[in-house]
Amino acid sequence: MKLAILSCSPRCYSTRRLREAAEHRGFQVKVLNTLKFAIDLKQAEPDLFFRQKSISDYDAVLPRIGASITYFGTAVVRQFEQMDIFCANSSSGITNSRDKLRSLQILSRHQIGIPQTTFVRDKKDVLPAIERVGGAPVVIKLLEGTQGIGVLLAETVKSAEAIIELLQNQKQNVLIQKFVAESKGRDIRAFVVGDRVVAAMRRVAQGQEFRSNVHRGGLTEPVILDETYCKTAVRAAQIMGLRVAGVDMLEGKSGPQIMEINSSPGLEGIEKCTQLDIAGAVVDYISAQVDFPELDLRQRLTVSRGYGVTEIHIPEGSEYVGKAINESGLRDKDINVLTLYRGTTVIPNPRSDRKLESHDRLLCFGKLELMRDLVPSKTRRKRRPKVQDLPELPVAEEVLTDAVKETAESARSGRD
């Protein structure tokens, strides 16, 4: 496999570890500066140039797009997608997750826990908005920000008003979010690869700091998540359109609350905390998926005149309730059921004898005159490569614990 890592920071730990993990597995890998690409567009031949030369053939691309270059970076990823090259994260997924408001808007239509949030521009709407999320204290967030930057805790309504007014005067868009008191100063980072959580850690803020980010001095501890937290993290990443993601969750009384989804999660903190080869798990996943490049289903399926994709809702009292899919008459109307959504359960390619229930949602492909609200979706069976312990390699050794090193040295001495 020939892998391209898109990164403007070749010397950072995450990029070096991903490169090291790929080379350790015998793959060809190059780190390409995202800003050095040129995008060429012409009929039937989307192309890319890197440092004034036509890009060589790659089997897969792993984007590490920083927040400051989101627009150009996602354009480069989108061009790789048009060239039918597998991208570990889709351009739309990166765009969705980068904007906090956009990501929460997308998650809000699904059965998945999120802190109650509001977005306002008019000063008159600020006080009612604070009341709707439960009153002070509230968390105030800039729409774009990483490593805890742009996240503030307002203890009183007055201070919240003052902070919001100041930020809005500086032309900043802000979110007002319910403060989840029971998880103050703590959150969970779940590292999602494909359809599973390969590692997780709990981050705990220190002193008076309520932000638990490692970059703000937060301490970490490895944690094994229960099924509810794992499912929530994986579903959140999939809803965003991400295959590799860091999903940050609060431990609320009612269960996990999605706080943020990171499309370029750092590896240093979680590898040091868990002592697991996360970079290797990412590379193994990519190598197993190179034959399945990201497809824009709306683009591909709507080229047939009159056909497209939509989601059909089965309301209470519908004629379809209690009928099997093959008895519903959908197929006779030239409508194919691709996926069935039942509560929090997703059933891809449902059997024809599966009976429909009220409130089911069917993702279908068929005649547009019978369907509305196109929603692209795609579900594939994923392989499950095993996550190994951190290997004894130069970059990985930077976060290997002394205990692990001593064990490895003892083992070598025994062999000698």
Side-chain angles (χ1 to χ4, degrees):
M1 180 181 73
K2 190 173 181 181
L3 173 67
I5 300 174
L6 305 185
S7 174
C8 295
S9 304
R11 299 308 305 160
C12 78
Y13 177 88
S14 298
T15 303
R16 289 185 295 134
R17 271 293 294 131
L18 289 164
R19 179 171 188 163
E20 179 179 69
E23 291 175 341
H24 183 60
R25 285 156 174 76
F27 300 138
Q28 298 181 55
V29 57
K30 282 192 175 181
V31 177
L32 306 178
N33 188 326
T34 315
L35 297 178
K36 301 300 181 182
F37 281 93
I39 299 171
D40 274 28
L41 307 168
K42 54 185 175 180
Q43 183 176 329
E45 289 185 37
D47 201 2
L48 275 168
F49 282 76
F50 182 72
R51 298 185 185 277
Q52 297 83 51
K53 295 181 181 179
S54 183
I55 192 77
S56 58
D57 292 329
Y58 285 93
D59 297 306
V61 172
L62 175 55
R64 301 283 302 178
I65 307 299
S68 61
I69 61 164
T70 298
Y71 185 83
F72 187 79
T74 52
V76 172
V77 176
R78 189 160 53 245
Q79 189 74 348
F80 275 112
E81 291 169 348
Q82 301 310 309
M83 295 164 67
D84 289 332
I85 296 174
F86 175 82
C87 297
N89 279 334
S90 68
S91 57
S92 61
I94 297 169
T95 302
N96 289 341
S97 63
R98 192 53 52 80
D99 185 315
K100 291 183 175 68
L101 174 60
R102 183 172 184 164
S103 62
L104 289 173
Q105 285 179 303
I106 294 170
L107 290 173
S108 67
R109 68 169 294 175
H110 297 271
Q111 295 292 327
I112 196 164
I114 58 174
Q116 189 172 347
T117 305
T118 184
F119 176 61
V120 298
R121 285 303 300 267
D122 195 312
K123 293 179 181 178
K124 295 178 182 177
D125 293 328
V126 172
L127 279 176
I130 293 174
E131 291 175 5
R132 288 199 301 274
V133 300
V138 293
V139 177
I140 299 169
K141 293 183 177 181
L142 296 181
L143 290 193
E144 293 188 12
T146 59
Q147 300 174 358
I149 298 171
V151 180
L152 303 166
L153 177 63
E155 297 282 0
T156 67
V157 172
K158 287 293 184 184
S159 63
E161 283 186 291
I163 292 169
I164 293 168
E165 183 177 1
L166 173 63
L167 292 173
Q168 288 183 339
N169 287 338
Q170 297 298 316
K171 308 300 182 184
Q172 297 285 352
N173 292 315
V174 298
L175 296 178
I176 303 170
Q177 198 168 74
K178 179 181 176 66
F179 177 60
V180 183
E182 60 268 26
S183 71
K184 180 181 180 180
R186 300 194 313 166
D187 69 16
I188 286 176
R189 162 61 65 90
F191 203 104
V192 175
V193 178
D195 63 351
R196 64 179 178 142
V197 173
V198 298
M201 64 180 178
R202 180 179 285 110
R203 303 181 297 191
V204 183
Q206 298 301 295
Q208 298 301 311
E209 178 63 70
F210 85 101
R211 294 167 293 183
S212 56
N213 305 72
V214 175
H215 290 85
R216 314 210 73 80
L219 299 181
T220 62
E221 59 183 16
V223 60
I224 298 177
L225 300 181
D226 62 27
E227 187 178 2
T228 300
Y229 278 79
C230 285
K231 281 187 175 181
T232 299
V234 171
R235 285 192 67 228
Q238 291 176 338
I239 290 168
M240 285 297 106
L242 299 173
R243 299 183 179 91
V244 177
V247 180
D248 296 339
M249 298 177 284
L250 298 175
E251 299 173 88
K253 292 178 181 178
S254 58
Q257 304 281 300
I258 298 294
M259 184 172 58
E260 189 174 346
I261 303 172
N262 195 322
S263 61
S264 298
L267 297 177
E268 185 171 9
I270 198 162
E271 284 199 338
K272 184 175 183 178
C273 175
T274 65
Q275 296 294 291
L276 293 173
D277 184 8
I278 312 301
V282 173
V283 172
D284 287 340
Y285 172 77
I286 292 173
S287 69
Q289 301 298 317
V290 293
D291 293 329
F292 302 106
E294 181 76 12
L295 298 179
D296 184 333
L297 288 194
R298 180 176 303 199
Q299 181 190 100
R300 301 299 176 94
L301 294 181
T302 58
V303 293
S304 300
R305 182 175 295 179
Y307 283 80
V309 182
T310 191
E311 190 174 80
I312 296 177
H313 295 259
I314 309 296
E316 211 167 315
S318 168
E319 61 177 295
Y320 296 126
V321 174
K323 289 184 179 180
I325 293 175
N326 58 3
E327 299 171 343
S328 66
L330 292 175
R331 191 66 188 90
D332 296 334
K333 296 177 182 177
D334 208 8
I335 298 175
N336 295 285
V337 179
L338 306 177
T339 305
L340 187 153
Y341 299 89
R342 180 169 292 164
T344 59
T345 303
V346 180
I347 306 170
N349 195 24
R351 301 189 313 272
S352 60
D353 61 352
R354 183 177 288 277
K355 292 193 179 294
L356 299 176
E357 299 178 2
S358 58
H359 307 300
D360 280 352
R361 291 177 293 130
L362 308 177
L363 184 71
C364 301
F365 172 70
K367 289 187 176 180
L368 285 176
E369 63 186 37
L370 302 174
M371 305 186 301
R372 300 178 64 186
D373 301 326
L374 297 180
V375 180
S377 178
K378 185 175 184 178
T379 305
R380 288 190 179 275
R381 186 184 299 274
K382 306 284 194 301
R383 284 175 54 183
R384 291 173 168 265
K386 184 179 179 182
V387 185
Q388 306 292 330
D389 290 336
L390 271 174
E392 293 179 67
L393 295 171
V395 181
E397 285 184 353
E398 294 178 18
V399 295
L400 278 172
T401 62
D402 292 336
V404 173
K405 289 179 180 178
E406 290 175 5
T407 301
E409 289 175 0
S410 299
R412 284 197 298 268
S413 299
R415 288 196 297 269
D416 294 340

